[in-house]
Amino acid sequence: MPFMDLIKKAIFEEEPRAQQPANPAPAPAAGRAPQPASASKYVPMTGRDNQFYARLAKQTDLSAVPELAKIEQYAAPLAPVITDKSLRYKAALATAQSQGGLTKDAILKGFDTLLKLLDSSASTFNKQTDEVGKTEVEAKIGQISDMNEAIQQKQKEITDLQQQVKSMQAQAEVSRAKLQEAKGNFAAALERRRVEIQQQRKEFETILE
């Protein structure tokens, strides 16, 4: 899986649950030459770095460099006979040197080549994480900024509405007070006029006797 897919998977997928360690592989049958050791054998893969490590291990496997693949080719058949790793690889180098011209310097340069491949993978990974950062992080930060501005605008609108509510409440109180005053004035005028009419009635009643 390309680094870009692994990066996006690491961002969007939930952290996987820890798995139980697998049962150890059975020992190879007697007389059968073991396969060349894979780089993944040296570092246990646990957690989310599994997929990144598997990708790096595949890109920098010993088989990726002809000189390293060749020394493994000569060393593998000797494993059942020479159990000591140092002696086994020295014997393999002697055979490879006499038959194929392989040298110690070429083998060490092969590991330098693997390190360069690893650095190249790191450069590719960093470039792709920058790209994902622009699309998945910086873009979201921009959206967050836009939403914050929208929130501030809404808050301003709410503040303006609250001010309008306070102003209208004050106006309503003034109108209520004036209405009460008008009711009081009308009641007083009504009573005054009632008294006047009653007095005039009595006056006319006396005049017309």
Side-chain angles (χ1 to χ4, degrees):
M1 183 180 293
F3 276 132
M4 181 65 77
D5 294 338
L6 293 177
I7 294 167
K8 291 183 177 180
K9 188 175 182 181
I11 293 175
F12 296 117
E13 287 193 355
E14 295 182 357
E15 185 71 25
R17 294 182 179 179
Q19 297 181 352
Q20 296 295 330
N23 293 329
R32 180 183 298 175
Q35 296 297 320
S38 173
S40 61
K41 185 176 180 180
Y42 297 98
V43 180
M45 295 190 297
T46 58
R48 178 152 280 173
D49 64 339
N50 287 9
Q51 295 176 339
F52 290 118
Y53 178 82
R55 174 72 175 173
L56 292 172
K58 182 178 180 180
Q59 290 178 334
T60 58
D61 190 78
L62 299 184
S63 61
V65 180
E67 291 79 8
L68 299 181
K70 184 176 292 185
I71 189 64
E72 287 294 331
Q73 179 183 353
Y74 281 97
L78 299 177
V81 182
I82 307 176
T83 57
D84 183 82
K85 185 175 181 179
S86 177
L87 295 177
R88 181 168 68 252
Y89 276 89
K90 286 179 180 178
L93 176 59
T95 304
Q97 192 169 12
S98 63
Q99 296 183 4
L102 185 64
T103 64
K104 174 183 176 181
D105 186 58
I107 293 173
L108 296 181
K109 286 183 178 179
F111 283 103
D112 292 337
T113 299
L114 288 183
L115 291 174
K116 290 179 181 179
L117 287 174
L118 197 63
D119 290 338
S120 177
S121 295
S123 177
T124 299
F125 176 82
N126 291 333
K127 180 180 179 181
Q128 292 179 346
T129 51
D130 288 342
E131 293 176 2
V132 173
K134 290 179 181 179
T135 57
E136 301 299 336
V137 179
E138 294 179 11
K140 285 183 173 58
I141 291 176
Q143 292 175 356
I144 291 172
S145 177
D146 292 341
M147 286 188 286
N148 283 332
E149 290 181 4
I151 290 172
Q152 291 176 356
Q153 180 61 33
K154 294 297 182 183
Q155 288 176 336
K156 183 178 181 301
E157 293 176 4
I158 291 172
T159 300
D160 292 342
L161 288 173
Q162 288 174 335
Q163 292 296 330
Q164 292 179 29
V165 168
K166 289 181 180 179
S167 177
M168 294 183 70
Q169 286 176 336
Q171 293 175 10
E173 290 299 323
V174 171
S175 297
R176 182 182 290 110
K178 289 182 177 180
L179 182 60
Q180 289 299 116
E181 182 181 2
K183 287 182 178 180
N185 291 338
F186 178 81
L190 178 66
E191 185 60 25
R192 176 183 174 184
R193 187 57 184 159
R194 187 188 304 277
V195 171
E196 289 177 349
I197 292 173
Q198 289 175 347
Q199 288 177 348
Q200 288 176 345
R201 182 180 183 281
K202 288 181 180 180
E203 183 179 356
F204 271 85
E205 184 179 3
T206 302
I207 292 174
L208 297 176
E209 283 183 354

